[in-house]
Amino acid sequence: MSNSSSFNEFLLLAFADTRELQLLHFLLFLSIYLAALLGNSLIITVIACDSHLHTPMYFFLLNLSLLDLGSISTTVPKSMVNSLWDTRAISYSGCAAQVFLVVFLFGGEFSLLTIMAYDRFIAICRPLHYGTIMGGRACVKMAAAAWGSGILNAVLHTGNTFSIPLCHGNVLDQFFCEIPQILRLSCSESYLREAGALVLSVSLFFGCFVFIVLTYVQIFTTVLRIPSEQGRHKAFSMCLPHLAVVSLFISTAMFAYLKPPSISSPALDLMVAVLYSVVPPAVNPLIYSMRNKELKDGLRKAQC
């Protein structure tokens, strides 16, 4: 019986076996990665440089773009390198670092999306109190809480996961180090502590999910009561990008981790992982900028 101390690397799941498909995967991921870098960097630059965008909504959007940049940079470059050099290996310490960063960044992102829903609720349902509730100091504390919760969650899960003895080899059926895949390699009953931590995290996830749903129920109830069509359109324009980002993030993550085991397969798990870990950071800038006149104006100013 072997454990985690008997090897110094893990083997990740390859996207393809033939050299041509490996290079195709490299080019596809390179295109997505560059698009994510460009889109999120533009949003960060425009918000930081345009004083008209120094508001709570754009402050949280800047933080979201930073988290998106970090999350896609944690998983995609290593997969690209492996395809380019026809290898599957990731070092033990590299895998631990990847688990920490994935849990930290995605946990922080979901916390931030919850805070952004609260920001939209105050802006639409409590507009007279918006300046008082969402002051500069309060926004910084909320953003710090999102980042801090991600770090604490990552420390808990990374410590638990890599303290578990592994008895079933070092082959992971995923293109990055994912906790459920590592737990499949663990000895029987040795993963119960981490399973308990996962249950706690899932409970918190559902708590945030319910909060977001109830928040948007109240938001849409308030918006539909606005007498002017222009006012309703403006309110919807403020909420729909955030709602689209939340829906994409939650739907892909929930399908990845809650799908029935009977339909699970390495190919399906791989595709779903791409959907929740690679696609959102790449398309979030497009979603937020598509119908946002202020961001478009800021981008034009930056180009000038």
Side-chain angles (χ1 to χ4, degrees), residues 83-286:
S83 287
L84 186 62
W85 296 109
D86 191 19
T87 180
R88 299 170 56 193
I90 182 171
S91 68
Y92 186 86
S93 58
C95 188
Q98 202 172 63
V99 166
F100 177 86
L101 290 172
V102 166
V103 176
F104 159 47
L105 293 164
F106 281 103
E109 182 166 340
F110 190 62
S111 297
L112 191 64
L113 289 172
T114 306
I115 293 170
M116 292 172 76
Y118 177 72
D119 172 66
R120 295 300 83 211
F121 168 76
I122 298 298
I124 292 173
C125 301
R126 304 287 188 272
L128 298 179
H129 303 284
Y130 185 77
T132 303
I133 298 174
M134 302 301 295
R137 184 172 298 179
C139 290
V140 170
K141 288 181 178 178
M142 290 179 190
W147 287 81
S149 65
I151 291 175
L152 291 175
N153 201 31
V155 169
L156 171 66
H157 287 295
T158 307
N160 279 337
T161 301
F162 286 90
S163 65
I164 296 172
L166 306 181
C167 304
H168 302 290
N170 64 338
V171 179
L172 302 176
D173 290 332
Q174 192 53 271
F175 76 96
F176 65 95
C177 289
E178 189 181 46
I179 289 178
Q181 296 295 334
I182 297 174
L183 293 182
R184 291 181 182 180
L185 306 179
S186 64
C187 305
S188 59
E189 299 183 1
S190 63
Y191 61 86
L192 292 179
R193 184 173 59 180
E194 173 57 16
L198 285 173
V199 169
L200 175 61
S201 293
V202 169
S203 300
L204 293 174
F205 173 88
F206 274 106
C208 291
F209 173 71
V210 170
F211 176 84
I212 292 173
V213 171
L214 294 178
T215 297
Y216 269 101
V217 168
Q218 295 185 65
I219 287 174
F220 288 136
T221 300
T222 301
V223 170
L224 293 175
R225 291 174 182 167
I226 297 176
S228 69
E229 183 178 347
Q230 183 178 1
R232 290 195 299 271
H233 182 268
K234 182 179 179 181
F236 277 125
S237 296
M238 291 170 62
C239 296
L240 289 180
H242 175 260
L243 188 59
V245 169
V246 169
S247 299
L248 178 64
F249 185 87
I250 291 178
S251 60
T252 53
M254 288 181 69
F255 184 74
Y257 290 103
L258 299 180
K259 65 181 182 299
S262 58
I263 67 170
S264 181
S265 68
L268 180 60
D269 291 346
L270 185 66
M271 182 180 68
V272 171
V274 171
L275 286 176
Y276 85 80
S277 65
V278 178
V279 174
V283 302
N284 284 353
L286 182 62

Side-chain angles (χ1 to χ4, degrees), residues 62-74:
L62 183 147
N63 279 267
L64 181 67
S65 292
L66 288 172
L67 289 168
D68 279 339
L69 276 178
S71 63
I72 198 168
S73 297
T74 300

